[in-house]
Amino acid sequence: MKFIKKTLAYILPAMMVLGGTTVCSDFIDIAPENKVPEQSVDFTNKNNMYQPVIGVYSKVCTSGMHWANAILMFTRDGDVWSGRTDDQGDAVGFSRKFNYTNSYWALNNVWVTFYEIIRTANSALESLDSYAQYLTPGSSDYDTYESYCGEVCTIRAWAYYQLVTSFGPVVIYRDNLQTDFHRSKVDAVYKYMLEEDLDYAIKKLSRMRPNQMPHLGAVTAFTAEMLAAKVHLLKGDYDQVETLTDDIIEHGGFTLFTDYCNLFKIPGKLCDESLFECQVTDFGNGSGDYIGVDQWFNFQGAAVTDPVAGITIAGWNFIGYEPEFVAWADARGETLRAETSFLRAGQSTREGWTVGNASETSTDCWNGKAYLPYEQMTEGRTEYGSNNNVRVLRYAEVLLMNSEAKIRAGKDGDYGYNEVRTRANMPTKLGATLADVLDERRMELCCEWGVRYTDLVRTGEAATVLGPKGWTVDKTYWSLPSNQLDDLPDLKLEPID
């Protein structure tokens, strides 16, 4: 897959040590890290060809997993809120009142960090093309090159997915020297993702699970298919959703991780349910190098204390569940998923640690999917969630998308629905309805990448569910960050097809 050549190539080391994310006002001025003059890179050395791809995964960790992204992206569905009123008050306004303050730094952070991923992906593809000049089309090395391009394209499409579901019409940034920053309409962005990135990736990537890849955890053709299915779900192309998810179910070899309580903890890392994870490792050492995600886990959860040893692991208390959602889950008879998803103030975890009490400025129920037991941490690493991966795309959602698509086509959608229910120790049923599947998505995928919010919007339920909180159709997407509007006048123009 040939891309326009530039005079610079993006090269990163195989191991990236944790670093912070810089918040800049103009994403065009952000130079991808570690860029070097092309003439200093030996593109004939195919052994280094994966280095640009590693750089893209690293950028997902250091940019995409910035805690400020989640504080906005996870808290606009009526079930989850920012969790605190004494800090980051604008986030509370976003989540509970749909008051989109476009000068809020975290809003700009979402825009900047996902475009950082896109810029890095663009640079990686340029570097891969430079390697391809010394490869023979049709050779195994050339196939490897195309596969690496497929990985980068999949991650780039994922970054666009986060942007378009958050901001609506956004800039399709095809080239890092691009000077036209006219936004494209939502459907045009969908088309670009599907035709330019995901169709290619589906054809060129290996048809295996990420945990079977030579580069363990790398995205695969099935990852690209799942992301394409999510785009088609937003578009209402349910036949495409069914076709794509059928292929994953029938040929991907995926299975649900049987122990839901450990799915989001160390035993569940890169399990057979995973289609995309942001990988973290401390290399099994209590000190030294650490590849991580900054404060991603730390900012979400509550303090937990071992009442015997007196040890406390404290989070920032920023991601909380609304009482109405917790009551809804309890009324459904949720057990395993409630235990895993909810950290309730004053109660004990399965390991016997006590969850901190709520305060006047905080929630009384936090996101348990960010909690990692002390017993699973590497000795010497006790920061909240240390050494855990961030789950991004899971097979459970594939099953539920498949059920929904089948039901909308008048077919039997019981299989995927009941697979997910069975793992959660919930009763199965015959003749699952669309409402059943949407409720199952609400519970299974709670506090995961804004799934509930996009479901409400695409099904037309947002006005009913979120309207009382201040949501209106014109608030489907966030306002554009004021920093971007000031720096890029093109953004103020009407989006194009």
Side-chain angles (χ1 to χ4, degrees), residues 160-200:
Y160 275 115
Y161 184 92
Q162 306 310 322
L163 286 167
V164 75
T165 54
S166 298
F167 295 101
V170 293
V171 178
I172 298 177
Y173 196 49
R174 295 176 173 86
D175 186 292
N176 286 355
L177 297 184
Q178 182 174 316
T179 57
D180 176 9
F181 307 114
H182 215 127
R183 290 177 299 146
S184 294
K185 292 180 180 178
V186 169
D187 283 341
V189 181
Y190 291 161
K191 182 179 181 182
Y192 176 82
M193 294 165 60
L194 292 169
E195 296 183 0
E196 296 296 323
D197 281 345
L198 295 175
D199 285 353
Y200 176 88

Side-chain angles (χ1 to χ4, degrees), residues 228-411:
K230 286 171 68 69
V231 175
H232 284 296
L233 194 67
L234 296 178
K235 288 165 56 67
D237 296 338
Y238 302 113
D239 56 338
Q240 292 292 328
V241 175
E242 182 179 2
T243 298
L244 290 162
T245 54
D246 271 347
D247 187 52
I248 299 171
I249 292 168
E250 294 169 11
H251 303 110
F254 294 91
T255 57
L256 295 177
F257 190 68
T258 55
D259 182 2
Y260 195 86
C261 280
N262 272 308
L263 172 61
F264 300 93
K265 301 176 178 65
I266 299 299
K269 290 175 70 170
L270 291 181
C271 65
D272 289 355
E273 182 172 346
S274 173
L275 280 101
F276 183 26
E277 291 184 19
C278 179
Q279 296 187 67
V280 170
T281 183
D282 57 18
F283 306 99
N285 299 318
S287 61
D289 288 346
Y290 180 71
I291 298 175
V293 287
D294 193 45
Q295 306 297 331
W296 180 267
F297 295 105
N298 193 47
F299 95 96
Q300 297 188 54
V304 290
T305 301
D306 181 346
V308 177
I311 301 171
T312 296
I313 301 173
W316 295 1
N317 304 306
F318 267 116
I319 296 293
Y321 287 104
E322 295 282 9
E324 297 83 0
F325 174 63
V326 176
W328 175 84
D330 288 342
R332 278 167 54 89
E334 295 287 347
T335 53
L336 280 175
R337 287 189 295 203
E339 177 187 357
T340 303
S341 303
F342 304 150
L343 280 181
R344 308 184 198 225
Q347 296 192 9
S348 295
T349 67
R350 178 174 288 197
E351 300 76 30
W353 288 54
T354 303
V355 181
N357 290 319
S359 68
E360 293 181 359
T361 61
S362 181
T363 182
D364 63 356
C365 184
W366 296 269
N367 180 25
K369 291 179 178 178
Y371 162 70
L372 185 67
Y374 177 82
E375 291 78 5
Q376 292 185 17
M377 295 179 178
T378 302
E379 186 176 357
R381 307 268 193 184
T382 58
E383 185 172 333
Y384 212 95
S386 179
N387 198 36
N388 202 3
N389 290 355
V390 179
R391 278 58 167 181
V392 180
L393 297 173
R394 298 195 286 120
Y395 182 57
E397 187 176 2
V398 172
L399 291 169
L400 293 174
M401 284 195 291
N402 186 261
S403 287
E404 178 177 345
K406 282 180 163 56
I407 290 170
R408 288 184 181 276
K411 301 177 184 178

Side-chain angles (χ1 to χ4, degrees), residues 38-290:
E38 185 172 289
Q39 59 266 28
S40 68
V41 179
D42 182 8
F43 289 110
T44 66
N45 186 356
K46 62 186 179 183
N47 293 326
N48 291 334
M49 189 164 56
Y50 200 63
Q51 295 300 307
V53 188
I54 292 173
V56 180
Y57 286 110
S58 175
K59 186 57 68 175
V60 169
C61 286
T62 58
S63 291
M65 303 301 145
H66 193 290
W67 66 270
N69 294 347
I71 205 173
L72 293 186
M73 295 170 67
F74 289 16
T75 61
R76 50 180 175 159
D77 59 13
D79 291 342
V80 187
W81 70 296
S82 64
R84 291 179 60 172
T85 58
D86 63 331
D87 192 358
Q88 304 301 321
D90 284 336
V92 179
F94 268 74
S95 61
R96 281 193 157 174
K97 299 178 181 178
F98 295 93
N99 180 17
Y100 299 157
T101 304
N102 74 342
S103 60
Y104 183 34
W105 73 269
L107 181 69
N108 190 58
N109 194 82
V110 177
W111 178 278
V112 168
T113 54
F114 282 105
Y115 272 112
E116 283 184 341
I117 296 172
I118 291 167
R119 280 180 54 81
T120 305
N122 290 349
S123 293
L125 291 168
E126 294 164 11
S127 286
L128 288 169
D129 280 351
S130 294
Y131 282 101
Q133 294 181 30
Y134 301 97
L135 305 176
T136 302
S139 67
S140 60
D141 288 334
Y142 199 88
D143 291 344
T144 298
Y145 149 75
E146 291 183 318
S147 176
Y148 290 172
C149 286
E151 288 185 50
V152 175
C153 287
T154 301
I155 296 172
R156 183 170 66 178
W158 175 77
Y160 275 115
Y161 184 92
Q162 306 310 322
L163 286 167
V164 75
T165 54
S166 298
F167 295 101
V170 293
V171 178
I172 298 177
Y173 196 49
R174 295 176 173 86
D175 186 292
N176 286 355
L177 297 184
Q178 182 174 316
T179 57
D180 176 9
F181 307 114
H182 215 127
R183 290 177 299 146
S184 294
K185 292 180 180 178
V186 169
D187 283 341
V189 181
Y190 291 161
K191 182 179 181 182
Y192 176 82
M193 294 165 60
L194 292 169
E195 296 183 0
E196 296 296 323
D197 281 345
L198 295 175
D199 285 353
Y200 176 88
I202 290 168
K203 294 173 184 175
K204 301 300 183 180
L205 281 171
S206 299
R207 289 174 58 80
M208 58 179 64
R209 296 189 308 269
N211 64 7
Q212 296 173 316
M213 289 288 281
H215 296 109
L216 189 65
V219 296
T220 73
F222 297 118
T223 310
E225 283 192 329
M226 180 181 177
L227 186 52
K230 286 171 68 69
V231 175
H232 284 296
L233 194 67
L234 296 178
K235 288 165 56 67
D237 296 338
Y238 302 113
D239 56 338
Q240 292 292 328
V241 175
E242 182 179 2
T243 298
L244 290 162
T245 54
D246 271 347
D247 187 52
I248 299 171
I249 292 168
E250 294 169 11
H251 303 110
F254 294 91
T255 57
L256 295 177
F257 190 68
T258 55
D259 182 2
Y260 195 86
C261 280
N262 272 308
L263 172 61
F264 300 93
K265 301 176 178 65
I266 299 299
K269 290 175 70 170
L270 291 181
C271 65
D272 289 355
E273 182 172 346
S274 173
L275 280 101
F276 183 26
E277 291 184 19
C278 179
Q279 296 187 67
V280 170
T281 183
D282 57 18
F283 306 99
N285 299 318
S287 61
D289 288 346
Y290 180 71

